[in-house]
Amino acid sequence: MERMQNCITDSNSPNDDHWMTLDGPAMSGGGVKHAVHWFRRDLRLHDNASLLAAARQADNLRCVFLLDCQLERHQQHRYLAANKWRFLVDCLRDLDESLRRLGSRLFVVRGQPLEAFRRLLPLWGASHLSFEEDCTPLGRDRDSAVTKLAHELGVTVLRGCSQTLYSQQVLMQASGGELPLTFAKFHRLLLTVGSPPAPCPSLQDEAATLPPPPPPLTPQLHPGFHRGLSNSFSNNNKTSSSSNGNTCNAASFIDEDAFNLPTLGELGLDQDEANYQPTPVLIRGGETEALARLTRHMERRSWVATYGGKPRYQSQLLMPSGTCLSSHLAFGCLSPKLVYAQLTDLYRKIKGGSSAQPPPLHIYGELLWREYLYLTAHANPNFDRLEGNPMCLPIPWCRDQAAFGAWSTARTGVPWIDAIMTQIRLEGWAHPYCRYSAVAFLTRGHLFQNWEDGAKLFEQLLIDAEWPTNNGLWLWMSGSAFFQAFGCAYSPVIAGRKLDPQGDYIRHYLPQLARLPTRYLHEPWLAPPAVQEAAGCIIGRHYPAPMLPDLDEAAE
C-alpha cells in the first residue's frame, strides 16, 4: 500500500516526477474492486504506471485492447500497410503471452472506445479504468471523452504518463507557456528542467501473478446483465451499430472467445498476404523483441562513447538492424524512459562511473528529437496540414497525381529515390537519411508536391510512424517549419553516391539494375546503349527513364 501511494499523486500536485494522475477516489474501502486496464500505445508490462497501480490494488483485473471492427481508415494501400498490421499482431500476441504467464490474458474488444466502454464498464462491474495518456491532440480529446463517460458511470480513472520522457504540461510550465520552436531552444529548456523521471518498476518484477480477470459473464453471475442489454443494445437486444459501420454483438460481451487476438485476415489482409512470412530482415513486434533489441543496442559501447561524431556512411547501415528501436517505441513495446535511463547508466560506466557530470544531451539523439516533436505538436491539432497550422509556411505546393504516383510507387527513374520507396513499401522502414532524401525529392527538392500527401502515405506505410514525428519530418524537410526555409536541395545522385557508394543498397531493392557498372548505377540513363544491353537493363524498358531530365536544373 505504501508503494502504491508513492506512485499516485493528485493531478494538482507540484511534484514533477509523479507517475500517475488520479481522477476520482482511490481504490480503498470495502467491496470487490474490478479494474479494467486499457492498453493503447503502451503494449508492455515495464514502465506502465497505470497498469501497475491497477494491479497493486484491484481484486480483479481485466486487460483490454480496443480494435476498430471495420478498419475503414486503412482500406486503401492495404498491401502496403501489411507490415504495420503484422507488427501490431506481433505486439498483441507477445503481450497476451506475457499476461498469461502472470495468470491473466489480453481481451481484444472490437469497437470504438466510447461505444464499447459504455456497454462494457457496467456489464463488467468495473470500479476503475486505467490507461496511459495519449499526448496527441486527437488522443487527448478521445481520453477526455472516455474519462467523462467513466465519471458518469461512477468509474474512477487512473492515468499514467509514459508515452514521452516528460509530462507535456511540465515542459510547457517550465517554458512559460511558450513552445520552443527550434531544437536549440528545446535543448536549453531541458537543461533547466533536468533529467526525466525514472521509469516505474516493471510489473513482472512486482509479483509472480496478476489479479485474475473476473469470471466469464453470465446472467446468473451478473444480475444487471439483462438490464444492461435493454439499456445498451438496440435491434431487439441483438446488435448496436454505430454510424461508422462498426457492429458490436450483444452476445460477444459474455462470450470470452469473442475477445481473442485478431487474425491478419480480420485486419483486412487477403489470404496471400496473411500467409506471407516476413524475411529475417523485417522487424518483429512485441515487448520481448523490444527488450532484446535494447540489450543488443546497449552492447554497442563504442557507439555510445562516440555518438555525435562524424557519421559513417556504409550501405549496410541503411538496412533494418537488430538494434533498431523506433518501431517498438512507436507502438509502446518499449518505454522511452527506460531507453534514456539505460543510456545514462551506460555512459557513466564508460566514462568512469561518475554521476556528478551529467551525460551530454546529444547521446540521446533521436529520443530527444522525438520528445521535441511531441511537445511541438501537442497543442496543434493542425500539425499534419498546411491550413490552420500556425507553424507552417504557406508555400503554394503543386498537386500532380502523376508525379506523386511515380514517387510513391518507385517509378521516378532515379535509382536512389526508387530504392528508398521500394524499401518503405516492402519492409515498412527506411533509415532517417533515406527518408530525408525521399521527402526532399517530393517537395522542395524537385517535384514541389504538397508535403501533406507524402506524410499521409508515410503514416500508412512506416511501422514507426507516429503522428508528431512523421508530420514533423515532413514539415522540416519540406522547408515548411522549424529551423529554416531551406534554400538548398538534396541531389538524389550525390546523396545516393555518398550513402551507397558501391551501390549495394540500390542493387538490393532494384535488382533490375544489379548488373550495371557502379559508375552508372546512380545515373543509369547515362550508360551507353551497349552497357545497358550487356547489363540486361534498357532504360525506358526495364527501368523507367528519369521523370526529370535534368535533376540539377529541376532543383533550381
Side-chain angles (χ1 to χ4, degrees):
M1 176 69 72
E2 180 181 355
R3 294 187 66 189
M4 177 65 183
Q5 291 172 342
N6 289 336
C7 286
I8 300 183
T9 68
D10 185 89
S11 58
N12 295 320
S13 168
N15 178 13
D16 289 348
D17 290 338
H18 66 275
W19 287 331
M20 290 290 305
T21 300
L22 175 64
D23 290 315
M27 290 190 193
S28 60
V32 176
K33 295 178 281 292
H34 297 290
V36 174
H37 180 75
W38 178 18
F39 280 103
R40 296 99 62 82
R41 294 282 176 163
D42 60 320
L43 303 178
R44 62 179 185 270
L45 302 187
H46 72 273
D47 191 29
N48 197 322
S50 57
L51 173 62
L52 183 64
R56 283 173 171 174
Q57 290 290 292
D59 298 297
N60 297 119
L61 175 63
R62 193 185 295 265
C63 299
V64 304
F65 179 86
L66 266 66
L67 184 69
D68 184 338
C69 294
Q70 298 298 318
L71 300 172
E72 290 180 336
R73 292 186 301 115
H74 303 279
Q75 290 306 301
Q76 292 182 330
H77 305 289
R78 288 187 304 160
Y79 173 76
L80 304 183
N83 288 316
K84 197 163 187 172
W85 293 117
R86 222 174 262 115
F87 191 91
L88 173 62
V89 171
D90 283 347
C91 295
L92 298 179
R93 183 182 298 115
D94 181 75
L95 181 60
D96 182 58
E97 291 172 356
S98 296
L99 290 170
R100 288 180 185 275
R101 285 193 290 269
L102 295 175
S104 186
R105 62 161 289 190
L106 183 66
F107 294 80
V108 179
V109 178
R110 281 70 173 171
Q112 296 292 329
L114 281 176
E115 177 189 357
F117 283 134
R118 185 174 287 112
R119 293 155 173 75
L120 286 172
L121 293 178
L123 293 177
W124 282 346
S127 60
H128 288 75
L129 173 66
S130 61
F131 56 82
E132 295 294 291
E133 294 179 348
D134 190 325
C135 300
T136 63
L138 181 62
R140 286 202 310 276
D141 289 346
R142 177 201 57 207
D143 291 354
S144 295
V146 170
T147 299
K148 179 181 177 182
L149 170 67
H151 289 169
E152 293 171 354
L153 298 174
V155 175
T156 297
V157 174
L158 304 169
R159 293 182 286 116
C161 177
S162 65
Q163 189 177 35
T164 53
L165 292 172
Y166 300 86
S167 163
Q168 307 295 290
Q169 290 75 17
V170 167
L171 291 180
M172 288 301 295
Q173 290 172 7
S175 67
E178 294 185 8
L179 282 173
L181 295 183
T182 68
F183 192 71
K185 291 182 179 179
F186 179 70
H187 186 283
R188 291 194 292 271
L189 174 63
L190 295 187
L191 293 176
T192 64
V193 172
S195 299
C200 72
S202 172
L203 187 65
Q204 292 154 312
D205 296 335
E206 286 282 301
T209 60
L210 284 174
L217 280 178
T218 66
Q220 291 75 28
L221 289 175
H222 197 292
F225 177 72
H226 288 297
R227 182 174 65 254
L229 283 183
S230 63
N231 292 336
S232 300
F233 293 97
S234 58
N235 297 332
N236 297 321
N237 296 338
K238 295 295 184 181
T239 60
S240 174
S241 299
S242 63
S243 59
N244 65 5
N246 283 333
T247 300
C248 296
N249 188 275
S252 70
F253 290 122
I254 58 173
D255 181 4
E256 299 292 291
D257 290 338
F259 300 112
N260 287 339
L261 299 179
T263 64
L264 291 172
E266 183 182 354
L267 294 173
L269 306 181
D270 62 29
Q271 193 65 32
D272 291 339
E273 294 162 346
N275 291 335
Y276 172 68
Q277 296 298 316
T279 62
V281 76
L282 297 183
I283 304 169
R284 302 307 300 253
E287 181 183 19
T288 303
E289 173 69 14
L291 293 176
R293 284 171 172 263
L294 180 60
T295 298
R296 291 194 293 268
H297 185 71
M298 294 304 160
E299 291 171 351
R300 303 159 66 199
R301 296 172 64 92
S302 61
W303 178 89
V304 174
T306 61
Y307 188 85
K310 186 176 181 179
R312 295 174 298 142
Y313 299 117
Q314 300 177 13
S315 297
Q316 63 266 31
L317 297 180
L318 304 180
M319 307 294 185
S321 71
T323 59
C324 178
L325 303 174
S326 59
S327 298
H328 300 86
L329 284 169
F331 275 76
C333 310
L334 186 63
S335 161
K337 293 176 184 175
L338 181 64
V339 179
Y340 189 101
Q342 291 199 11
L343 276 172
T344 302
D345 291 344
L346 179 57
Y347 181 85
R348 286 173 173 163
K349 289 178 182 178
I350 292 173
K351 298 302 181 180
S354 172
S355 59
Q357 181 66 30
L361 290 181
H362 70 254
I363 77 162
Y364 303 106
E366 294 294 325
L367 205 58
L368 293 186
W369 176 244
R370 175 181 183 268
E371 193 78 8
Y372 169 57
L373 293 176
Y374 260 93
L375 179 62
T376 306
H378 96 284
N380 185 356
N382 295 323
F383 193 64
D384 60 348
R385 66 199 69 177
L386 189 154
E387 185 177 355
N389 186 348
M391 299 181 56
C392 186
L393 293 175
I395 299 173
W397 301 105
C398 302
R399 270 201 161 109
D400 183 331
Q401 291 186 354
F404 181 80
W407 173 84
S408 64
T409 56
R411 293 182 292 106
T412 68
V414 182
W416 174 242
I417 301 301
D418 290 344
I420 293 168
M421 295 307 297
T422 298
Q423 181 185 26
I424 289 174
R425 294 181 63 191
L426 291 178
E427 299 174 2
W429 187 87
H431 191 281
Y433 289 145
C434 297
R435 302 184 198 197
Y436 302 160
S437 291
V439 173
F441 186 85
L442 181 69
T443 58
R444 62 182 173 84
H446 294 86
L447 300 184
F448 209 70
Q449 298 300 301
N450 194 314
W451 63 269
E452 296 174 344
D453 299 329
K456 290 176 184 176
L457 184 68
F458 270 27
E459 185 176 9
Q460 288 178 322
L461 304 186
L462 291 171
I463 298 172
D464 61 3
E466 298 179 85
W467 191 79
T469 58
N470 180 57
N471 289 297
L473 165 69
W474 283 88
L475 281 165
W476 171 39
M477 288 306 301
S478 68
S480 298
F482 301 114
F483 301 105
Q484 57 186 317
F486 288 92
C488 60
Y490 275 75
S491 165
V493 174
I494 295 175
R497 283 181 172 148
K498 186 175 185 179
L499 295 168
D500 185 30
Q502 300 304 314
D504 299 332
Y505 178 81
I506 289 177
R507 288 188 173 94
H508 180 81
Y509 291 105
L510 301 177
Q512 63 269 45
L513 299 176
R515 293 170 56 192
L516 275 175
T518 301
R519 62 178 296 192
Y520 296 117
L521 197 57
H522 294 87
E523 298 176 283
W525 55 89
L526 297 182
V531 173
Q532 296 182 31
E533 188 74 32
C537 182
I538 307 300
I539 302 305
R541 185 191 309 171
H542 304 108
Y543 180 73
M547 58 187 303
L548 298 174
D550 190 323
L551 294 177
D552 293 332
E553 180 179 342
E556 293 177 5

